[in-house]
Amino acid sequence: MLKIIIPTVMLIPLTWLSKSNMLWINSTMYSLMISMTCLPLMNQFCDNSLNLSMLFFSDSLSTPLLMLTTWLLPLMIIASQHHMAKEPPTRKKLYITMMILLQIFLIMTFSATELIMFYILFEATLVPTLIMITRWGGQTERLNAGIYFLFYTLAGSLPLLVALIYTQTTLGSLNLLLAQYWIDSSTHIWGNSLLWLAYMMAFMVKMPLYGLHLWLPKAHVEAPIAGSMVLAAILLKLGGYGMLRITMMLSPTINFMAYPFMMLSLWGMVMTSSICLRQTDLKSLIAYSSVSHMALVIMAILIQSPWSFMGATALMIAHGLTSSLLFCLANSNYERTHSRTMILARGLQMILPLMAAWWLLASLTNLALPPSINLIGELFVTVSMFSWSNFSIILLGINIIITALYTLYMLIMTQRGKYTYHIHNIKPSFTRENTLMSLHLVPLLLLMISPKIILGTTY
Amino acid sequence: MNPLTLSLVLTTMISGTLIVMTSSHWFMIWVGFEMNMLAIIPLLTKEHNPRSTEAATKYFLTQATASMLLMMAAITNLLYTGHWSIMKLINPTASIMMTMALTMKLGLSPFHFWVPEVTQGIPLMSGLILLTWQKLAPLSVLYMIMPLINMNILLIMSLMSIAIGGWGGLNQTQLRKIMAYSSIAHMGWMLAVLTYNPTMTLLNLYLYIPMTVTTFMLLMINSTTTTTSLSHTYNKLPLITTLILITMLSLGGLPPLTGFLPKWAIIQEMTKNSSIIMPTLMALLALLNLYFYTRITYTTSLTMFPTANNMKIKWQFKNSKQTMSLPLMITISTLTLPLAPMMMILD
């Protein structure tokens, strides 16, 4: 794993020592090369994980997430070039350093064996993200957004720390490789339910769960494009990854604790999808759609069946790429009109037809069109939810319809119809933007061919 | 200050603390505390204005009361056990009185009221000495009498301190008062774990002192005592804004910075001893502390706070403040979390 971490750390001196005109090229190119070094990890054993060292390992759950993380850094750097163009070189380098620092922490989080190390790095990802949102966001609301983001996540995760240390003292070790061999026979006492809650609340806030999701629209909307991309694509998946790892350790007798969260997720999924239909702010729409998709992931993880775990993992990867792509598309609008209001930039298909193609593909994957991997995720989740409870199909069906509705609403509003008079002089699409969109879409479409690499541990 | 006076005062202060730390007779500990207190009074009134006189008076009154309470506790113990030795503080009344005396010296809740007001009235360097050096002597006595302290009282006082340190600092814009409330909260953390594993108290102390020294040195470079004037730093020394950011986040206990290490160790020790609600409450109340540190970073580093137009045309003087080994301090106070396994050498 050091062969990925050390080059990523070395990207920081690369950034600071590059000449100003080579800055973006250097960092993009070398981060792309680092994402290539992550590919050999896909060579997994089918019944075990790649145990690389005492501290790091990678199994078929963490490898797709690691791939997504390393793939996303060059995309973030490409996306930030335009709005950072007028800043002095030191600030550009600081911004890229924040992204690289976040990358380092994320790589180490996804490959950590020891759960306390996972926790420390899980919290550590908050600091660069907070700095990116608060320092480089666009509007004054970014300060409030940063505080909400930081404190919601921290308040949820401090009980996790206590729970982890408690488990370490009672069970002896928190190594994930040993975790698969524990036989945890807890009884139905009140304390075990509290322990379950302490474990799960951190990840519920991070995912986010419907009742605790207030930080997400603020943070996603106020963040600069790289911040939005990394938040939507990876940081939400940290919650999902944590939950997938922890549910292995928790006792099966405490599964009744999942019911309130199932209810919140089922209802919240429909609610946040419905809110999307009434949004005027494009980024806010995509943020709420993230909450809705992640509610599906939460439900899948809570019912703990092999199909649902496969669906959750596939949905995490698919949603990461799709949501990041949608944020990039929204940003390309924002850079031209300097407004996030959807109706100010409509009828774009006549003016930017290639971008309209990317919008179309992004919308189609967002509404889980077959045979995209989004569909695989949603389908597996729906099927396993149906087997868990027949009535959930009603709400899930409603959600799928509303997802299609708001996605098509977004597509038609921004692309179709007559264009407004004030956008006749926007700049045409840059090659950089088209590259960015295609780099998002190519993995998404290619994974259709062999989705087994993103299906996680229970394939 | 006259160098001769300054050296006399500093020597007395240091030797007072050393006498406290190396004695085993209660009388000598009282002597050490009195020497320490009397010597620091001139340091508190370095600038001769009524505010510093008020601060020095408040400091004197509280510390003298605490010393007298300490003497009373020692004599009560003498009455019941016949020993002056500090290891034989067996009588519970004496032990409780001693705990009260020492926590009064430290500025722990409910005896914390003097800390913000004294810290506010004195110059930054004196405030630094007050919040770091002056904690050494009472903490060393508490460390030595640790087995004999009533755990319940200490835990209640610690929890109250962390809460008051958190909530008290929320309404402050004066940086010295913010650092005072920060000190109250950190003292709460330190004493919470004293009866479980005093090594963690020492760990917290050894990391709290560099972090506080770093913060005060950064404030001294800018010669600022209010949040507003600190927010002008980006005009004068933009690099310092980054350092203030990471130091403040480290004080707040955010991973992966050093400030997380004492909190983690303390939570670990308390959980190992099957006390689970207490560390959870302490950790959640520490978030209040983090809020006002983050607010300082917002005004200083993360936004370009509104200033008057003539800020950019200031003369850029070379720094003439005493900021000894600032880079070393910054490194210790922010980057030593990976050295966590080495902390076992403290045992």
Side-chain angles (χ1 to χ4, degrees):
Chain A
M1 193 48 75
L2 274 182
K3 65 179 177 283
I4 305 175
I5 296 179
I6 294 206
T8 318
V9 173
M10 282 295 134
L11 276 178
I12 299 181
L14 174 75
T15 322
W16 283 96
L17 297 172
S18 297
K19 286 197 293 201
S20 305
N21 55 350
M22 289 294 288
L23 176 63
W24 298 105
I25 302 175
N26 275 345
S27 43
T28 316
M29 191 171 74
Y30 284 102
S31 45
L32 265 175
M33 290 210 290
I34 291 176
S35 68
M36 295 299 129
T37 59
C38 201
L39 280 176
L41 288 176
M42 294 280 187
N43 227 355
Q44 294 278 338
F45 300 111
C46 64
D47 55 350
N48 200 352
S49 48
L50 278 182
N51 303 325
L52 300 165
S53 82
M54 292 291 291
L55 297 167
F56 297 119
F57 84 125
S58 75
D59 74 350
S60 33
L61 169 59
S62 57
T63 310
L65 288 164
L66 269 171
M67 255 329 290
L68 186 59
T69 314
T70 49
W71 184 244
L72 216 73
L73 180 62
L75 267 48
M76 290 198 287
I77 299 178
I78 294 176
S80 313
Q81 275 186 15
H82 186 261
H83 75 94
M84 296 294 288
K86 295 210 175 57
E87 303 233 357
T90 311
R91 276 193 225 140
K92 283 191 221 181
K93 292 177 184 175
L94 261 176
Y95 192 60
I96 300 180
T97 311
M98 286 300 128
M99 289 197 267
I100 296 172
L101 212 54
L102 187 56
Q103 169 89 326
I104 298 171
F105 291 143
L106 282 168
I107 292 177
M108 287 169 65
T109 315
F110 282 125
S111 53
T113 44
E114 180 75 34
L115 276 175
I116 300 251
M117 184 159 121
F118 168 77
Y119 174 80
I120 293 182
L121 294 162
F122 175 81
E123 301 287 298
T125 58
L126 293 177
V127 178
T129 319
L130 174 74
I131 297 177
M132 277 166 69
I133 296 178
T134 333
R135 174 68 180 82
W136 280 283
Q139 285 76 32
T140 52
E141 289 86 16
R142 70 189 197 270
L143 303 175
N144 212 14
I147 290 278
Y148 264 70
F149 169 62
L150 187 66
F151 282 90
Y152 263 69
T153 318
L154 278 178
S157 61
L158 283 170
L160 174 65
L161 178 63
V162 180
L164 281 175
I165 294 180
Y166 174 76
T167 316
Q168 189 180 36
T169 52
T170 52
L171 282 174
S173 156
L174 280 177
N175 201 328
L176 274 173
L177 304 171
L178 293 177
Q180 32 186 339
Y181 300 115
W182 288 329
I183 306 170
D184 191 17
S185 56
S186 334
T187 51
H188 274 237
I189 58 175
W190 192 58
N192 285 339
S193 309
L194 276 182
L195 189 66
W196 191 97
L197 260 184
Y199 271 121
M200 286 297 186
M201 284 320 286
F203 305 120
M204 294 292 180
V205 174
K206 196 83 175 158
M207 284 296 282
L209 181 67
Y210 175 59
L212 306 162
H213 69 290
L214 276 182
W215 64 269
L216 188 128
K218 289 190 197 312
H220 274 121
V221 166
E222 303 302 332
I225 178 59
S228 288
M229 283 167 74
V230 78
L231 265 172
I234 307 287
L235 290 178
L236 267 48
K237 315 320 183 242
L238 269 179
Y241 175 75
M243 268 173 45
L244 279 167
R245 290 282 183 222
I246 296 276
T247 45
M248 252 196 310
M249 276 169 37
L250 293 173
S251 159
T253 55
I254 312 290
N255 283 339
F256 61 87
M257 286 298 296
Y259 288 127
F261 299 103
M262 293 292 296
M263 290 193 293
L264 274 174
S265 299
L266 273 169
W267 189 237
M269 159 182 88
V270 175
M271 279 292 107
T272 46
S273 308
S274 316
I275 292 177
C276 286
L277 284 171
R278 299 294 292 170
Q279 287 295 325
T280 53
D281 183 341
L282 189 52
K283 272 179 106 166
S284 187
L285 194 154
I286 305 172
Y288 276 109
S289 96
S290 283
V291 179
S292 172
H293 287 279
M294 285 297 113
L296 274 171
V297 176
I298 294 180
M299 288 192 290
I301 298 177
L302 285 175
I303 58 180
Q304 296 179 21
S305 83
W307 268 52
S308 74
F309 277 2
M310 283 200 270
T313 320
L315 198 51
M316 285 203 288
I317 307 292
H319 172 259
L321 286 167
T322 312
S323 214
S324 176
L325 173 59
L326 282 170
F327 273 117
C328 291
L329 288 166
N331 187 54
S332 72
N333 268 357
Y334 180 75
E335 284 173 1
R336 287 171 172 77
T337 57
H338 286 288
S339 162
R340 296 193 298 262
T341 317
M342 255 197 302
I343 55 175
L344 281 185
R346 54 178 198 271
L348 289 177
Q349 187 169 7
M350 293 302 291
I351 308 190
L352 305 172
L354 185 53
M355 201 53 83
W358 306 133
W359 271 102
L360 178 68
L361 283 171
S363 304
L364 290 179
T365 50
N366 196 23
L367 50 90
L369 196 74
S372 68
I373 47 179
N374 296 22
L375 175 80
I376 293 178
E378 280 200 29
L379 197 62
F380 281 19
V381 171
T382 313
V383 167
S384 45
M385 284 288 292
F386 182 68
S387 105
W388 174 76
S389 155
N390 290 3
F391 295 107
S392 59
I393 194 86
I394 304 174
L395 284 168
L396 282 166
I398 293 179
N399 181 50
I400 295 183
I401 297 177
I402 303 185
T403 308
L405 280 175
Y406 71 70
T407 316
L408 286 175
Y409 167 66
M410 178 175 68
L411 178 68
I412 294 175
M413 186 61 88
T414 52
Q415 303 305 117
R416 308 277 173 162
K418 184 105 173 71
Y419 50 83
T420 58
Y421 290 114
H422 61 80
I423 61 169
H424 66 279
N425 57 352
I426 58 175
K427 298 197 174 84
S429 310
F430 298 112
T431 312
R432 172 186 64 84
E433 290 175 342
N434 289 328
T435 319
L436 184 62
M437 310 308 166
S438 48
L439 279 178
H440 273 108
L441 272 171
V442 161
L444 205 50
L445 299 174
L446 284 180
L447 276 171
M448 277 195 249
I449 304 175
S450 168
K452 68 171 188 252
I453 49 178
I454 56 166
L455 285 179
T457 43
T458 47
Y459 175 68
Chain B
M1 216 193 229
N2 185 5
L4 188 57
T5 324
L6 186 63
S7 57
L8 186 64
V9 161
L10 283 177
T11 317
T12 317
M13 185 182 78
I14 294 176
S15 47
T17 308
L18 286 178
I19 290 177
V20 170
M21 292 208 277
T22 56
S23 304
S24 60
H25 193 282
W26 279 119
F27 192 77
M28 291 314 289
I29 290 186
W30 177 80
V31 164
F33 273 126
E34 295 296 305
M35 274 173 69
N36 191 11
M37 171 187 62
L38 289 172
I40 205 177
I41 302 290
L43 274 180
L44 300 182
T45 52
K46 245 207 283 197
E47 298 169 11
H48 301 291
N49 51 37
R51 186 68 181 86
S52 61
T53 315
E54 176 191 344
T57 316
K58 283 182 180 160
Y59 185 71
F60 175 76
L61 285 174
T62 51
Q63 297 287 308
T65 314
S67 297
M68 279 299 109
L69 203 56
L70 188 146
M71 202 57 176
M72 173 76 170
I75 292 180
T76 314
N77 189 40
L78 180 65
L79 177 65
Y80 284 103
T81 62
H83 288 286
W84 277 104
S85 164
I86 63 169
M87 292 306 177
K88 303 268 208 257
L89 192 68
I90 301 175
N91 186 16
T93 319
S95 150
I96 292 178
M97 272 201 286
M98 185 64 72
T99 317
M100 298 285 160
L102 293 167
T103 51
M104 209 189 289
K105 282 198 177 290
L106 278 176
L108 210 64
S109 198
F111 309 117
H112 66 279
F113 293 96
W114 60 272
V115 186
E117 302 175 19
V118 173
T119 320
Q120 179 61 24
I122 56 183
L124 277 172
M125 191 54 151
S126 312
L128 172 61
I129 297 178
L130 182 77
L131 289 181
T132 52
W133 182 263
Q134 295 296 92
K135 311 289 180 194
L136 288 179
L139 271 173
S140 62
V141 179
L142 277 168
Y143 182 83
M144 289 192 278
I145 64 171
M146 178 270 290
L148 308 159
I149 299 178
N150 187 346
M151 184 172 80
N152 298 317
I153 288 188
L154 209 54
L155 281 179
I156 294 176
M157 287 205 282
S158 310
L159 191 60
M160 270 169 56
S161 303
I162 300 175
I164 288 181
W167 268 303
L170 282 182
N171 203 22
Q172 304 297 335
T173 54
Q174 293 288 329
L175 290 169
R176 288 171 290 181
K177 281 208 173 130
I178 286 181
M179 292 313 293
Y181 281 107
S182 144
S183 139
I184 296 174
H186 279 272
M187 286 298 132
W189 275 92
M190 282 187 229
L191 291 184
V193 78
L194 187 67
T195 47
Y196 292 107
N197 186 350
T199 314
M200 298 306 151
T201 308
L202 292 182
L203 172 68
N204 199 347
L205 185 67
Y206 296 155
L207 289 174
Y208 165 72
I209 290 182
M211 290 196 288
T212 314
V213 168
T214 314
T215 316
F216 269 99
M217 282 207 277
L218 288 169
L219 298 181
M220 282 195 280
I221 288 182
N222 293 319
S223 306
T224 69
T225 55
T226 61
T227 314
T228 326
S229 61
L230 191 65
S231 66
H232 298 155
T233 319
Y234 77 92
N235 284 310
K236 297 189 279 191
L237 301 156
L239 182 57
I240 300 278
T241 60
T242 322
L243 299 177
I244 290 178
L245 171 67
I246 47 180
T247 311
M248 285 291 157
L249 291 179
S250 180
L251 260 179
L254 210 54
L257 303 166
T258 313
F260 178 64
L261 180 59
K263 299 201 159 53
W264 173 20
I266 289 175
I267 292 179
Q268 185 161 11
E269 284 307 312
M270 293 181 84
T271 317
K272 273 191 205 166
N273 285 298
S274 304
S275 150
I276 301 183
I277 302 181
M278 182 74 180
T280 321
L281 267 177
M282 282 162 59
L284 288 171
L285 288 172
L287 284 180
L288 292 165
N289 265 346
L290 183 64
Y291 178 72
F292 56 78
Y293 298 135
T294 321
R295 195 170 51 193
I296 295 179
T297 65
Y298 272 16
T299 56
T300 314
S301 332
L302 292 174
T303 60
M304 285 169 138
F305 213 64
T307 62
N309 272 337
N310 55 4
M311 271 296 155
K312 273 291 184 194
I313 58 172
K314 282 166 68 107
W315 288 97
Q316 305 274 341
F317 290 118
K318 194 161 166 337
N319 179 30
S320 64
K321 306 285 175 195
Q322 261 184 319
T323 56
M324 353 152 225
S325 62
L326 185 62
L328 175 64
M329 284 296 175
I330 301 263
T331 317
I332 295 178
S333 50
T334 52
L335 294 174
T336 52
L337 191 64
L339 288 181
M342 250 178 62
M343 297 305 160
M344 62 167 78
I345 63 174
L346 284 173
D347 278 328

PDB file of all heavy atoms in Angstrom, chain B residues 44-61:
ATOM      1  N   LEU B  44       2.877  39.933  36.994  1.00  0.00           N
ATOM      2  CA  LEU B  44       1.527  40.225  36.545  1.00  0.00           C
ATOM      3  C   LEU B  44       1.315  41.727  36.374  1.00  0.00           C
ATOM      4  O   LEU B  44       0.518  42.164  35.557  1.00  0.00           O
ATOM      5  CB  LEU B  44       0.488  39.687  37.537  1.00  0.00           C
ATOM      6  CG  LEU B  44       0.496  38.189  37.776  1.00  0.00           C
ATOM      7  CD1 LEU B  44      -0.616  37.814  38.732  1.00  0.00           C
ATOM      8  CD2 LEU B  44       0.323  37.439  36.491  1.00  0.00           C
ATOM      9  N   THR B  45       2.056  42.504  37.178  1.00  0.00           N
ATOM     10  CA  THR B  45       1.849  43.961  37.097  1.00  0.00           C
ATOM     11  C   THR B  45       2.977  44.624  36.338  1.00  0.00           C
ATOM     12  O   THR B  45       3.358  45.748  36.636  1.00  0.00           O
ATOM     13  CB  THR B  45       1.771  44.576  38.501  1.00  0.00           C
ATOM     14  OG1 THR B  45       2.929  44.147  39.227  1.00  0.00           O
ATOM     15  CG2 THR B  45       0.533  44.131  39.215  1.00  0.00           C
ATOM     16  N   LYS B  46       3.491  43.926  35.306  1.00  0.00           N
ATOM     17  CA  LYS B  46       4.592  44.501  34.534  1.00  0.00           C
ATOM     18  C   LYS B  46       4.223  45.836  33.927  1.00  0.00           C
ATOM     19  O   LYS B  46       5.028  46.754  33.883  1.00  0.00           O
ATOM     20  CB  LYS B  46       4.993  43.528  33.420  1.00  0.00           C
ATOM     21  CG  LYS B  46       6.389  42.989  33.590  1.00  0.00           C
ATOM     22  CD  LYS B  46       7.045  42.590  32.323  1.00  0.00           C
ATOM     23  CE  LYS B  46       6.541  41.269  31.805  1.00  0.00           C
ATOM     24  NZ  LYS B  46       7.450  40.694  30.811  1.00  0.00           N
ATOM     25  N   GLU B  47       2.989  45.907  33.382  1.00  0.00           N
ATOM     26  CA  GLU B  47       2.516  47.205  32.927  1.00  0.00           C
ATOM     27  C   GLU B  47       1.710  47.803  34.053  1.00  0.00           C
ATOM     28  O   GLU B  47       0.797  47.165  34.556  1.00  0.00           O
ATOM     29  CB  GLU B  47       1.613  47.047  31.703  1.00  0.00           C
ATOM     30  CG  GLU B  47       2.273  46.442  30.507  1.00  0.00           C
ATOM     31  CD  GLU B  47       1.244  46.090  29.444  1.00  0.00           C
ATOM     32  OE1 GLU B  47       0.077  46.511  29.593  1.00  0.00           O
ATOM     33  OE2 GLU B  47       1.605  45.392  28.494  1.00  0.00           O
ATOM     34  N   HIS B  48       2.048  49.031  34.424  1.00  0.00           N
ATOM     35  CA  HIS B  48       1.400  49.565  35.628  1.00  0.00           C
ATOM     36  C   HIS B  48       0.110  50.255  35.270  1.00  0.00           C
ATOM     37  O   HIS B  48       0.073  51.455  35.034  1.00  0.00           O
ATOM     38  CB  HIS B  48       2.341  50.547  36.315  1.00  0.00           C
ATOM     39  CG  HIS B  48       3.625  49.912  36.701  1.00  0.00           C
ATOM     40  ND1 HIS B  48       3.701  48.980  37.693  1.00  0.00           N
ATOM     41  CD2 HIS B  48       4.869  50.045  36.194  1.00  0.00           C
ATOM     42  CE1 HIS B  48       4.952  48.577  37.811  1.00  0.00           C
ATOM     43  NE2 HIS B  48       5.687  49.192  36.914  1.00  0.00           N
ATOM     44  N   ASN B  49      -0.972  49.469  35.176  1.00  0.00           N
ATOM     45  CA  ASN B  49      -2.266  50.129  34.988  1.00  0.00           C
ATOM     46  C   ASN B  49      -3.265  49.494  35.958  1.00  0.00           C
ATOM     47  O   ASN B  49      -3.009  48.422  36.505  1.00  0.00           O
ATOM     48  CB  ASN B  49      -2.745  50.014  33.539  1.00  0.00           C
ATOM     49  CG  ASN B  49      -2.718  48.602  33.030  1.00  0.00           C
ATOM     50  OD1 ASN B  49      -3.011  47.661  33.752  1.00  0.00           O
ATOM     51  ND2 ASN B  49      -2.363  48.444  31.774  1.00  0.00           N
ATOM     52  N   PRO B  50      -4.397  50.167  36.204  1.00  0.00           N
ATOM     53  CA  PRO B  50      -5.337  49.649  37.213  1.00  0.00           C
ATOM     54  C   PRO B  50      -5.834  48.249  36.907  1.00  0.00           C
ATOM     55  O   PRO B  50      -6.097  47.468  37.815  1.00  0.00           O
ATOM     56  CB  PRO B  50      -6.487  50.666  37.178  1.00  0.00           C
ATOM     57  CG  PRO B  50      -5.898  51.896  36.625  1.00  0.00           C
ATOM     58  CD  PRO B  50      -4.813  51.480  35.706  1.00  0.00           C
ATOM     59  N   ARG B  51      -5.954  47.933  35.584  1.00  0.00           N
ATOM     60  CA  ARG B  51      -6.474  46.603  35.261  1.00  0.00           C
ATOM     61  C   ARG B  51      -5.531  45.519  35.724  1.00  0.00           C
ATOM     62  O   ARG B  51      -5.965  44.481  36.249  1.00  0.00           O
ATOM     63  CB  ARG B  51      -6.702  46.517  33.742  1.00  0.00           C
ATOM     64  CG  ARG B  51      -7.367  45.244  33.286  1.00  0.00           C
ATOM     65  CD  ARG B  51      -8.794  45.153  33.764  1.00  0.00           C
ATOM     66  NE  ARG B  51      -9.413  43.911  33.332  1.00  0.00           N
ATOM     67  CZ  ARG B  51      -9.331  42.756  33.994  1.00  0.00           C
ATOM     68  NH1 ARG B  51      -8.633  42.685  35.105  1.00  0.00           N
ATOM     69  NH2 ARG B  51      -9.905  41.678  33.518  1.00  0.00           N
ATOM     70  N   SER B  52      -4.229  45.724  35.545  1.00  0.00           N
ATOM     71  CA  SER B  52      -3.299  44.677  35.958  1.00  0.00           C
ATOM     72  C   SER B  52      -3.209  44.610  37.470  1.00  0.00           C
ATOM     73  O   SER B  52      -3.003  43.531  38.033  1.00  0.00           O
ATOM     74  CB  SER B  52      -1.932  44.883  35.332  1.00  0.00           C
ATOM     75  OG  SER B  52      -1.407  46.105  35.740  1.00  0.00           O
ATOM     76  N   THR B  53      -3.397  45.770  38.134  1.00  0.00           N
ATOM     77  CA  THR B  53      -3.426  45.730  39.597  1.00  0.00           C
ATOM     78  C   THR B  53      -4.598  44.895  40.071  1.00  0.00           C
ATOM     79  O   THR B  53      -4.484  44.092  41.000  1.00  0.00           O
ATOM     80  CB  THR B  53      -3.546  47.149  40.159  1.00  0.00           C
ATOM     81  OG1 THR B  53      -2.640  47.997  39.480  1.00  0.00           O
ATOM     82  CG2 THR B  53      -3.268  47.186  41.647  1.00  0.00           C
ATOM     83  N   GLU B  54      -5.749  45.113  39.407  1.00  0.00           N
ATOM     84  CA  GLU B  54      -6.933  44.323  39.779  1.00  0.00           C
ATOM     85  C   GLU B  54      -6.668  42.838  39.560  1.00  0.00           C
ATOM     86  O   GLU B  54      -7.002  41.993  40.396  1.00  0.00           O
ATOM     87  CB  GLU B  54      -8.110  44.791  38.928  1.00  0.00           C
ATOM     88  CG  GLU B  54      -9.367  43.982  39.158  1.00  0.00           C
ATOM     89  CD  GLU B  54     -10.429  44.282  38.110  1.00  0.00           C
ATOM     90  OE1 GLU B  54     -10.302  45.316  37.414  1.00  0.00           O
ATOM     91  OE2 GLU B  54     -11.369  43.492  37.985  1.00  0.00           O
ATOM     92  N   ALA B  55      -6.039  42.526  38.418  1.00  0.00           N
ATOM     93  CA  ALA B  55      -5.772  41.116  38.115  1.00  0.00           C
ATOM     94  C   ALA B  55      -4.845  40.509  39.162  1.00  0.00           C
ATOM     95  O   ALA B  55      -5.066  39.403  39.663  1.00  0.00           O
ATOM     96  CB  ALA B  55      -5.172  40.987  36.722  1.00  0.00           C
ATOM     97  N   ALA B  56      -3.793  41.274  39.492  1.00  0.00           N
ATOM     98  CA  ALA B  56      -2.836  40.763  40.468  1.00  0.00           C
ATOM     99  C   ALA B  56      -3.477  40.573  41.833  1.00  0.00           C
ATOM    100  O   ALA B  56      -3.208  39.594  42.538  1.00  0.00           O
ATOM    101  CB  ALA B  56      -1.645  41.714  40.563  1.00  0.00           C
ATOM    102  N   THR B  57      -4.380  41.511  42.187  1.00  0.00           N
ATOM    103  CA  THR B  57      -5.049  41.389  43.490  1.00  0.00           C
ATOM    104  C   THR B  57      -5.916  40.142  43.517  1.00  0.00           C
ATOM    105  O   THR B  57      -5.906  39.377  44.481  1.00  0.00           O
ATOM    106  CB  THR B  57      -5.926  42.623  43.754  1.00  0.00           C
ATOM    107  OG1 THR B  57      -5.197  43.791  43.393  1.00  0.00           O
ATOM    108  CG2 THR B  57      -6.348  42.698  45.192  1.00  0.00           C
ATOM    109  N   LYS B  58      -6.677  39.937  42.438  1.00  0.00           N
ATOM    110  CA  LYS B  58      -7.542  38.760  42.412  1.00  0.00           C
ATOM    111  C   LYS B  58      -6.711  37.492  42.496  1.00  0.00           C
ATOM    112  O   LYS B  58      -7.060  36.542  43.201  1.00  0.00           O
ATOM    113  CB  LYS B  58      -8.372  38.743  41.130  1.00  0.00           C
ATOM    114  CG  LYS B  58      -9.522  39.701  41.165  1.00  0.00           C
ATOM    115  CD  LYS B  58     -10.354  39.619  39.905  1.00  0.00           C
ATOM    116  CE  LYS B  58     -11.496  40.608  40.019  1.00  0.00           C
ATOM    117  NZ  LYS B  58     -12.072  40.964  38.740  1.00  0.00           N
ATOM    118  N   TYR B  59      -5.599  37.487  41.752  1.00  0.00           N
ATOM    119  CA  TYR B  59      -4.738  36.313  41.773  1.00  0.00           C
ATOM    120  C   TYR B  59      -4.216  36.065  43.182  1.00  0.00           C
ATOM    121  O   TYR B  59      -4.251  34.951  43.698  1.00  0.00           O
ATOM    122  CB  TYR B  59      -3.581  36.511  40.793  1.00  0.00           C
ATOM    123  CG  TYR B  59      -2.715  35.305  40.653  1.00  0.00           C
ATOM    124  CD1 TYR B  59      -3.170  34.177  39.996  1.00  0.00           C
ATOM    125  CD2 TYR B  59      -1.434  35.265  41.194  1.00  0.00           C
ATOM    126  CE1 TYR B  59      -2.390  33.055  39.875  1.00  0.00           C
ATOM    127  CE2 TYR B  59      -0.646  34.147  41.073  1.00  0.00           C
ATOM    128  CZ  TYR B  59      -1.130  33.053  40.412  1.00  0.00           C
ATOM    129  OH  TYR B  59      -0.358  31.939  40.300  1.00  0.00           O
ATOM    130  N   PHE B  60      -3.738  37.157  43.805  1.00  0.00           N
ATOM    131  CA  PHE B  60      -3.181  37.008  45.142  1.00  0.00           C
ATOM    132  C   PHE B  60      -4.205  36.465  46.122  1.00  0.00           C
ATOM    133  O   PHE B  60      -3.931  35.538  46.893  1.00  0.00           O
ATOM    134  CB  PHE B  60      -2.652  38.358  45.619  1.00  0.00           C
ATOM    135  CG  PHE B  60      -2.174  38.347  47.022  1.00  0.00           C
ATOM    136  CD1 PHE B  60      -0.949  37.785  47.350  1.00  0.00           C
ATOM    137  CD2 PHE B  60      -2.956  38.857  48.049  1.00  0.00           C
ATOM    138  CE1 PHE B  60      -0.514  37.736  48.652  1.00  0.00           C
ATOM    139  CE2 PHE B  60      -2.514  38.812  49.349  1.00  0.00           C
ATOM    140  CZ  PHE B  60      -1.300  38.244  49.659  1.00  0.00           C
ATOM    141  N   LEU B  61      -5.426  37.037  46.063  1.00  0.00           N
ATOM    142  CA  LEU B  61      -6.430  36.625  47.041  1.00  0.00           C
ATOM    143  C   LEU B  61      -6.782  35.147  46.882  1.00  0.00           C
ATOM    144  O   LEU B  61      -6.828  34.393  47.857  1.00  0.00           O
ATOM    145  CB  LEU B  61      -7.682  37.486  46.888  1.00  0.00           C
ATOM    146  CG  LEU B  61      -7.532  38.906  47.436  1.00  0.00           C
ATOM    147  CD1 LEU B  61      -8.768  39.715  47.094  1.00  0.00           C
ATOM    148  CD2 LEU B  61      -7.331  38.871  48.935  1.00  0.00           C
TER     149      LEU B  61
END
